[in-house]
Structures are given as C-alpha cells and as structure tokens.
C-alpha cells in the first residue's frame, strides 16, 4: 500500500509473500504498484478527454462568440453548439437572444441619433435664417426711417441681432467642436 495524496488517494497492490524477495525479476516486484498507477493515469486521461469533449469545446465556442460580439463583429454567424448538454443549450439560446436584443437596440440607437442630428441641424439652420431675416428687416426699416433717432435705434437692433447670429454660428457652426475661442467671438461681435 502506498499513499499518493494524503487522505485522498492510495495505491494498493498484492503479491505472494513466498515469491517476494531476492532473485525475483524487478518487474515482478513493481507490478503491484505500476499497474494501479497505470490504471489511475489512464482514468485521469480519459476523464480529461471527456471533460474537454463535454464541456471545454462548448465553453471555447461560447467564449469565441462572446469575444467576437464584444469586438463589434455583428455579422458573424450565430453560435451553434454541436450536441450540447442541456445547460449549454440554454446558454446558447440565452446568448443568441442577448445578441438579438443588443443588436436591435444598437440599430435603434443609431437611427435615433441620426434623426436627432438631422433635427438639430434643421433647428440651427432655421435659427440662422430667422436671425438673418430679422437683421434684413431692421436694415430695410432703418433705410426708410424718417428720424435719426429711429434710424440709430434700428441700426443698434440690427447690430445686436448680428451679434446673436455670430454667437449662434460660433456655438453651432462647427459640428463636433467642443471649444469656442472667446477672443475671436468677441472680435466678431
């Protein structure tokens, strides 16, 4: 009897005491230890192979699909495990459903963003046009004004409207720009 792992694994063999001792071939003396160790090693290898076949290959395929999805590969083929156990079939189905839901949400978010960007551009365009229209109307009124006081008042109003237009252009003119150079803006105003 030999202890392989304390309190876990023991190897046991037997041989005839009458045949033990001097003069026996070495292989006959080691057979009671070697054969159980060989059987144990074979069982461990078979267990590892079965574990790889029943669990490892499915986990590898699932991890590969998750990695591709996380890296943005949305047109990859759907995960299909070959003869999975019930637990992995459920994981496969849940992953497929998650991919479908997230893909739909991403598509909807992209559509919403495109729509809001278009609407925002339209609002900025209309504000710009309205400010320009107000400036033009006040300019026309200033040219036809009879008194100097009315003309000065309308010219002052026109300058304020153009100042607002410059501020609007500075804030919304360059898409993606997050900074405004106030020195240039004040000069323009």
């Amino acid at each position: 009897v030999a202890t392989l792992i304390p309190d876990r694994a023991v190897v046991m063999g037997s041989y005839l005491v009458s045949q033990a001792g001097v003069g026996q071939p070495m292989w006959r003396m080691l057979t009671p230890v070697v054969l159980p160790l060989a059987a144990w090693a074979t069982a461990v290898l078979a267990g590892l192979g079965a574990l790889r076949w029943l669990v490892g290959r499915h986990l590898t395929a699932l991890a590969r699909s998750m990695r591709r999805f996380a890296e943005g590969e949305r047109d990859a083929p759907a995960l299909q495990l070959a003869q999975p156990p019930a637990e992995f079939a459920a994981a496969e189905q849940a992953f497929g459903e998650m991919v479908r839901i997230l893909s739909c949400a991403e598509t909807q978010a992209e559509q919403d963003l495109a729509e809001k960007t278009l609407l925002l551009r339209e609002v900025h365009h209309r504000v710009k046009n309205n400010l320009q229209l107000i400036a033009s109307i006040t300019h026309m009124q200033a040219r036809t004004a009879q008194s100097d006081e009315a003309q000065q008042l309308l010219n002052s109003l026109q300058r304020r409207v153009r100042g607002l237009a410059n501020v609007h252009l500075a804030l919304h003119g360059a898409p993606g720009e997050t900074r405004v150079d106030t020195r240039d803006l004040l000069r323009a105003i």
Side-chain angles (χ1 to χ4, degrees):
V1 176
T3 302
L4 291 178
I5 302 172
D7 297 328
R8 297 267 180 183
V10 176
V11 173
M12 184 170 70
S14 66
Y15 59 93
L16 293 174
V17 176
S18 62
Q19 294 179 356
V22 182
Q24 293 292 324
M26 187 63 129
W27 65 269
R28 272 199 138 171
M29 290 177 22
L30 293 177
T31 300
V33 173
V34 172
L35 286 179
L37 283 176
W40 176 78
T42 303
V44 167
L45 289 175
L48 289 174
L51 185 64
R52 170 71 183 119
W53 177 255
L54 295 174
V55 176
R57 67 187 175 120
H58 300 304
L59 281 178
T60 301
L62 184 60
R64 192 177 313 119
S65 291
M66 287 178 166
R67 190 176 316 106
R68 281 196 316 254
F69 186 79
E71 290 171 352
E73 202 175 310
R74 300 298 189 255
D75 55 348
L79 174 65
Q80 290 186 337
L81 302 176
Q83 300 173 343
E87 294 85 0
F88 284 108
E92 174 187 13
Q93 184 178 5
F95 178 72
E97 185 66 16
M98 180 196 71
V99 165
R100 187 189 66 74
I101 290 170
L102 289 177
S103 295
C104 289
E106 284 178 350
T107 302
Q108 186 63 44
E110 288 171 3
Q111 289 173 350
D112 291 347
L113 180 62
E115 184 179 308
K116 287 177 182 169
T117 302
L118 182 67
L119 288 173
L120 189 59
R121 255 190 266 144
E122 181 63 28
V123 166
H124 292 315
H125 180 71
R126 287 177 185 256
V127 168
K128 180 181 155 191
N129 284 350
N130 286 339
L131 288 172
Q132 190 173 12
L133 182 64
I134 292 169
S136 296
I137 290 171
T138 54
H139 180 68
M140 285 175 25
Q141 289 295 322
R143 284 190 308 180
T144 60
Q146 300 295 327
S147 70
D148 285 339
E149 185 180 334
Q151 205 171 31
Q152 287 175 355
L153 184 66
L154 289 169
N155 285 335
S156 173
L157 179 61
Q158 182 185 12
R159 281 192 303 275
R160 287 181 185 172
V161 170
R162 287 200 176 158
L164 281 174
N166 284 333
V167 169
H168 180 264
L169 183 64
L171 294 176
H172 302 291
E177 189 66 34
T178 58
R179 296 180 182 208
V180 175
D181 188 354
T182 53
R183 191 174 307 159
D184 292 342
L185 180 60
L186 289 175
R187 272 191 224 123
I189 293 173

